[in-house]
Amino acid sequence: MDVYGIIGNPVEHSLSPPMHEAAFRERGIDAKYVTFEADPDRIEEAFRGAEALGIDGLTVTLPFKHDAFEFADPDVQIERVGAVNTIDFTESGPVGFNTDMTGTLRAFEHHDVDLEGARAVVVGAGGAARALAFGFEEAGADVQIANRTESKAHDLADEVPDATGHGLDELPGLMADADVVANATSVGLESDESVAPADAWHGDLVAFDAVYKPLETRFLQDAAAAGAQTIDGAWMLLFQGVDAFEIWTGEDAPLEAMNEALRDRLDDDSQQ
Ligand code: NAP
């Protein structure tokens, strides 16, 4: 039997186990997907232990994505992002990937949104914003970054080729000229707030929200009310898992089964 898992702290409420278990079941792969709540002071030992035990692959979540980057051998693309969320334990050693970044691009593709040449605004400058900003740049978009702490937007923009940093006060002006606006802040997480003013939305925008609790955030509701196309945060979560599954197994991921398992769990959680 193959063993995969998610390592983080906390991981108790992770949505990855039902999604990956559904994928293994659907493909008839004899594998288990386990949660590992690691001690932050012993994370390197935990990674080495997983390797020594013959674990096949790990999803890495907060707060260990930078530790995973230092542990696993990242490819050139990941080198710039500085975070690894997927480790493949291969015969030649652990290899690191950032499927938050590649998965988000697949989520846009899945919704027929072409990012090549698009004017994309990333709101936020934390971990999710990094994945989105580097991903959008990789896909050929013109990237603008707006963040509450403006200096952090400038710091991130300095790392992403041709990106520009801004304060949140500039967001309405950026939205007026944009094609895509992505919320990568935690605003709207289990609250009815949006980081974007409702009257800044227009029908030519595509709105993406990394927040997935609730699925229909205030940010996406305001966008939809103005006629914008919306993509919810579960798509990012889904496609980071899809990419990880394909890296680990070399097989096409069963998209529908994974999506159904993920959304069922989100539904159950929202009713609690
Ligand atoms: P993070 O590194 O802690 O960054 C948080 C960001 O939110 C910062 O830019 C912060 O601005 C901003 N922020 C927080 N409170 C704010 C407020 N009241 N007003 C304006 N900005 C505020 O967090 P993260 O890891 O990037 O995660 C961000 C969100 O994305 C979380 O809700 C997380 O659940 C979600 N996420 C989703 C996925 C997915 O697969 N869908 C993956 C990763 C993350 P400052 O710099 O000014 O503090």
Side-chain angles (χ1 to χ4, degrees), residues 124-128 147-149 152 168 184-187 210-212 233 236-237:
N147 193 48
R148 176 178 63 179
T149 309
K152 291 193 197 166
L168 276 187
T185 73
S186 44
V187 179
V211 172
Y212 52 83
M236 177 177 180
L237 199 56

Side-chain angles (χ1 to χ4, degrees), residues 114-122 136 140-144 174-182 202 204-206:
D114 186 5
L115 289 164
E116 171 87 52
R119 289 161 301 181
V121 181
V122 175
F136 287 167
D142 163 64
V143 181
Q144 309 288 325
L174 293 169
M175 287 171 71
D177 289 333
D179 302 301
V180 172
V181 181
H202 56 84
D204 295 332
L205 281 167
V206 176

Side-chain angles (χ1 to χ4, degrees), residues 12-271:
E12 204 186 334
H13 299 294
S14 169
L15 298 160
S16 291
M19 180 169 69
H20 282 292
E21 277 158 14
F24 291 132
R25 223 174 15 250
E26 184 74 14
R27 287 285 176 262
I29 297 172
D30 185 20
K32 272 239 169 283
Y33 189 93
V34 187
T35 53
F36 299 108
E37 189 159 288
D39 176 349
D41 293 332
R42 302 181 65 187
I43 184 61
E44 206 197 321
E45 278 175 75
F47 285 137
R48 298 226 170 278
E51 187 178 18
L53 284 169
I55 284 171
D56 296 279
L58 285 175
T59 304
V60 182
T61 187
L62 297 179
F64 301 134
K65 293 185 187 184
H66 186 72
D67 303 281
F69 170 77
E70 303 214 310
F71 167 73
D73 192 17
D75 69 15
V76 182
Q77 194 186 34
I78 311 300
E79 195 69 55
R80 298 188 304 155
V81 189
V84 157
N85 79 321
T86 299
I87 300 175
D88 188 21
F89 290 100
T90 70
E91 277 173 15
S92 46
V95 185
F97 298 85
N98 190 311
T99 69
D100 287 330
M101 180 176 88
T102 55
T104 305
L105 297 184
R106 280 181 76 173
F108 275 80
E109 231 173 82
H110 182 79
H111 288 84
D112 296 322
V113 177
D114 186 5
L115 289 164
E116 171 87 52
R119 289 161 301 181
V121 181
V122 175
V123 193
R130 279 188 84 79
L132 290 176
F134 280 106
F136 287 167
E137 187 267 330
E138 185 92 15
D142 163 64
V143 181
Q144 309 288 325
I145 300 162
N147 193 48
R148 176 178 63 179
T149 309
E150 189 174 340
S151 59
K152 291 193 197 166
H154 291 298
D155 290 348
L156 179 54
D158 286 346
E159 293 183 59
V160 179
D162 301 325
T164 314
H166 307 267
L168 276 187
D169 54 329
E170 292 176 66
L171 184 56
L174 293 169
M175 287 171 71
D177 289 333
D179 302 301
V180 172
V181 181
N183 177 36
T185 73
S186 44
V187 179
L189 177 66
E190 290 174 342
S191 82
D192 191 29
E193 293 165 296
S194 172
V195 77
D199 59 5
W201 290 104
H202 56 84
D204 295 332
L205 281 167
V206 176
F208 167 76
D209 201 338
V211 172
Y212 52 83
K213 278 186 186 174
L215 275 177
E216 283 182 38
T217 55
R218 170 58 47 202
F219 181 86
L220 293 184
Q221 288 181 42
D222 291 345
Q229 181 182 352
T230 61
I231 305 173
D232 69 48
W235 292 104
M236 177 177 180
L237 199 56
L238 172 69
F239 279 100
Q240 65 76 29
V242 162
D243 262 8
F245 179 91
E246 293 182 351
I247 288 164
W248 293 331
T249 66
E251 292 194 30
D252 280 350
L255 198 62
E256 274 177 36
M258 293 175 81
N259 195 25
E260 201 179 304
L262 179 63
R263 285 177 191 268
D264 281 355
R265 177 58 67 91
L266 278 166
D267 264 0
D268 290 350
D269 287 358
S270 71
Q271 279 157 27

